[in-house]
Amino acid sequence: MNELREVLLGNACQILLSSGEAELAEAYLGMSLDEYSLGSMPGGFRNDIAKIDLTRFHIARQIEAAYDFGLQEGDTKARTAFTDDDWNDLEIFSQGAARCSFGGELTPLAIEDSSLRRTFDMMMARIALRQDSSLTIRELALLADIGETAVRTALSADGIRTEGKPACVSVDIAEPWLRRRRGYVPTLEFDSEMITSEIATAIDAFIYRPFRPALISLMDLRGIDTQRLAHDANVDEPWLDALISGADVSCDLDALARLATCLEVGVPLFSGRAVEAILARN
């Protein structure tokens, strides 16, 4: 959100530059620009722009929704609230908003690894998966939570060839590859075949219910038994039996991540609650 304020400041700079009217730029931003000129930026400008009221900007709500969707953070409602209208608006904003501000200062949209750019790019990567489009190396790296060099190395080791410029991988190959990555959190989606409200409640239960009953409830609603879950997640069935029954088990983070992926629960949430339960038993 602080980086968004920097972009809005850059937009105000463009208004002043194109119109020559400081009043228009100040009305847009909601703050005084007396200390700013096209040739200079005050040293403490980040403290100044902290006063910008983001509730005045509809785009701020859309970026919050993009963050929850792109990073798959928060509860079920937050992870699934992002709409196609939000996507369309943010695509226009990210392509058209200011890359340069007062005194030639770059805005976060011009910096590839800024938090704002990463949020936009992760949102677009999930949209690509949803629309069966190809994914770039950067998009794969962001979704898998590894570096781009590591992605190229892993793709090469798996015999996967990229296509085009920038290098891309088709969704048919990218999605199964991502599901084998420990850091990947699948996009929570609801369709007509799912009992939406009950599944959402079961997933959210990992936040406030003990791990074991939350896991059993979700497995029941998804119609998946221990044998099938062990097979799909490539985990040892006796180990999974012990985890579900409440017996002492080893803390296998890789196995927990694969279980979370199969059950379409956020890996940090699922694994964190599982580790908490395992430690309590031991």
Side-chain angles (χ1 to χ4, degrees):
M1 291 298 101
N2 287 331
E3 290 187 357
L4 171 60
R5 289 182 170 93
E6 293 186 44
V7 176
L8 296 175
L9 180 65
N11 288 347
C13 176
Q14 295 300 318
I15 292 172
L16 175 58
L17 179 66
S18 57
S19 70
E21 298 290 336
E23 293 81 3
L24 289 177
E26 291 176 341
Y28 166 77
L29 206 57
M31 62 170 277
S32 171
L33 294 173
D34 288 345
E35 301 298 319
Y36 295 76
S37 72
L38 296 177
S40 66
M41 176 86 86
F45 76 92
R46 288 187 175 86
N47 292 329
D48 290 341
I49 63 175
K51 296 177 288 188
I52 296 174
D53 180 10
L54 291 183
T55 63
R56 300 174 60 249
F57 296 90
H58 179 65
I59 202 73
R61 183 204 64 78
Q62 293 177 303
I63 290 174
E64 288 178 343
Y67 179 89
D68 291 335
F69 172 69
L71 279 71
Q72 287 292 283
E73 291 280 347
D75 60 17
T76 301
K77 182 178 180 180
R79 291 167 62 189
T80 58
F82 191 75
T83 68
D84 285 345
D85 286 341
D86 292 329
W87 162 47
N88 181 69
D89 292 352
L90 285 178
E91 177 68 0
I92 295 171
F93 180 82
S94 65
Q95 295 298 324
R99 261 65 176 172
C100 187
S101 190
F102 291 95
E105 180 84 17
L106 294 180
T107 75
L109 284 180
I111 302 170
E112 186 177 72
D113 207 41
S114 68
S115 295
L116 196 60
R117 278 284 303 276
R118 287 173 65 87
T119 296
F120 284 152
D121 291 347
M122 289 190 76
M123 174 269 290
M124 288 304 301
R126 291 195 186 276
I127 292 293
L129 285 175
R130 177 185 288 177
Q131 297 189 339
D132 295 333
S133 302
S134 297
L135 278 79
T136 65
I137 297 296
R138 174 172 170 80
E139 289 171 338
L140 289 172
L142 288 171
L143 290 177
D145 196 25
I146 57 178
E148 293 184 39
T149 300
V151 169
R152 292 188 177 90
T153 300
L155 291 176
S156 178
D158 291 341
I160 297 173
R161 299 182 63 179
T162 60
E163 299 178 351
K165 291 185 179 181
C168 292
V169 176
S170 70
V171 70
D172 292 339
I173 296 173
E175 189 161 23
W177 183 87
L178 281 167
R179 288 185 176 275
R180 296 194 296 272
R181 308 276 79 79
R182 177 175 170 181
Y184 174 60
V185 180
T187 308
L188 182 62
E189 301 277 10
F190 291 135
D191 58 38
S192 59
E193 297 179 357
M194 298 178 66
I195 311 170
T196 304
S197 60
E198 292 185 1
I199 294 255
T201 300
I203 292 173
D204 289 343
F206 284 97
I207 299 173
Y208 58 84
R209 289 185 67 192
F211 174 77
R212 181 171 173 269
L215 174 57
I216 293 172
S217 176
L218 183 58
M219 288 176 62
D220 287 343
L221 284 171
R222 291 216 184 275
I224 185 170
D225 58 21
T226 304
Q227 184 178 16
R228 179 183 161 196
L229 182 58
H231 175 270
D232 291 351
N234 190 27
V235 301
D236 184 61
E237 189 174 342
W239 177 86
L240 181 57
D241 274 327
L243 179 69
I244 295 171
S245 67
D248 289 350
V249 293
S250 60
C251 189
D252 188 335
L253 291 179
D254 287 333
L256 292 173
R258 293 195 297 273
L259 287 174
T261 299
C262 285
L263 292 168
E264 297 185 62
V265 183
V267 172
L269 171 62
F270 182 90
S271 299
R273 295 310 307 274
V275 169
E276 182 180 37
I278 290 169
L279 291 177
R281 296 172 193 176
N282 294 340

